[in-house]
Amino acid sequence: MSFADVLPFLRSWVRNPLRTAAIMPSGNRISALMTGEIDPEMGPVLELGPGTGPFTRSLLQRGVPESMLTLVEYSSEFTRLLRGRFPSARILRMDAARIGEFNLFEPGSVGAVVSGLGVLTMPPRQVKGILNGAFKYLRPGGAFYQITYGPRCPVSKEILDILQLEERFVAKTMRNIPPASVYRIKRRVDTAGLS
Ligand SMILES: C[S@@+](CC[C@H](N)C(=O)[O-])C[C@H]1O[C@@H](n2cnc3c(N)ncnc32)[C@H](O)[C@@H]1O
């Protein structure tokens, strides 16, 4: 985590604690865990709730070209900061729950989705919108990686059942403020047989 990121993050938290959902940007360890299964050959990567961009930086370190990244962020301050930091990425200022309403990618073309969104505190309708939109674009076998500070997957079993998705714990680190885990969400029956 860069020290320069702490102030904009705290400012965002003071303005809107529920939406910011954390008081500190993610550290290097959880960023590496969130992106560790993503391969540059997979295709475009969609990041939801990038904030100041710790997962974005980690994706670039893994070799994903900046031009293959689409970042969806609601905060105007973070969007401005991201545009300065990642000029070749596509940066969209919008509600991640509405991504499925637009043609942001060819359906089934996205390699992976990385989500820093605080889904635990979101209403179920918003969570459904986010997952529906993400899986519209994800390729067969593609995965949605979700961070959480809680003890289990932050997407309820009810929503997973409705959308025919399944979750798997990937990893946890105590070296983050607060300690955080990663969950991988995939389609239950994947046509590519890769799930
Ligand atoms: C917990 S912060 C995570 C930021 C960054 N990924 C990190 O790990 O440091 C959540 C981020 O999601 C953004 N966000 C919250 N609700 C959103 C929404 N509905 N659509 C897009 N971005 C949203 C917030 O502005 C914030 O940048």
Side-chain angles (χ1 to χ4, degrees):
M1 180 201 4
S2 151
F3 218 66
D5 290 356
V6 174
L7 198 62
F9 214 89
L10 270 175
R11 216 165 26 228
S12 170
W13 182 78
V14 168
R15 279 197 204 119
N16 197 329
L18 258 190
R19 199 174 67 205
T20 309
I23 51 163
M24 296 277 273
S26 291
N28 294 340
R29 180 70 189 137
I30 189 68
S31 302
L33 294 173
M34 279 290 284
T35 58
E37 295 184 352
I38 298 175
D39 179 328
E41 314 299 310
M42 283 175 171
V45 176
L46 170 61
E47 185 179 347
L48 308 176
T52 53
F55 302 160
T56 321
R57 268 193 294 267
S58 198
L59 286 165
L60 296 176
Q61 280 162 12
R62 289 196 60 76
V64 178
E66 197 174 302
S67 58
M68 294 288 269
L69 295 176
T70 295
L71 314 181
V72 172
E73 172 56 59
Y74 200 81
S75 146
S76 53
E77 183 178 1
F78 288 153
T79 306
R80 236 186 341 268
L81 185 146
L82 292 164
R83 288 197 173 121
R85 284 186 179 172
F86 309 109
S88 303
R90 176 166 62 153
I91 297 166
L92 306 172
R93 188 190 166 220
M94 64 183 290
D95 179 357
R98 301 193 59 198
I99 53 173
E101 297 172 28
F102 304 91
N103 292 317
L104 301 184
F105 303 89
E106 282 292 309
S109 65
V110 167
V113 179
V114 175
S115 167
L117 297 167
V119 294
L120 204 54
T121 54
M122 287 180 176
R125 198 165 54 87
Q126 196 176 7
V127 178
K128 267 189 245 167
I130 290 162
L131 287 167
N132 249 329
F135 278 91
K136 165 181 166 183
Y137 300 122
L138 267 171
R139 70 185 172 99
F144 182 109
Y145 295 93
Q146 177 64 52
I147 187 175
T148 186
Y149 310 116
R152 58 186 68 85
C153 178
V155 179
S156 71
K157 183 173 177 326
E158 193 192 352
I159 292 180
L160 293 169
D161 284 347
I162 291 169
L163 301 179
Q164 286 294 294
L165 300 172
E166 60 185 16
E167 52 88 0
R168 287 276 181 283
F169 170 76
V170 175
K172 175 172 182 158
T173 179
M174 301 304 282
R175 283 161 50 198
N176 195 68
I177 307 170
S181 303
V182 181
Y183 284 82
R184 182 198 314 112
I185 299 174
K186 289 182 122 181
R187 294 180 184 95
R188 275 185 198 170
V189 179
D190 214 298
T191 48
L194 299 169
S195 56

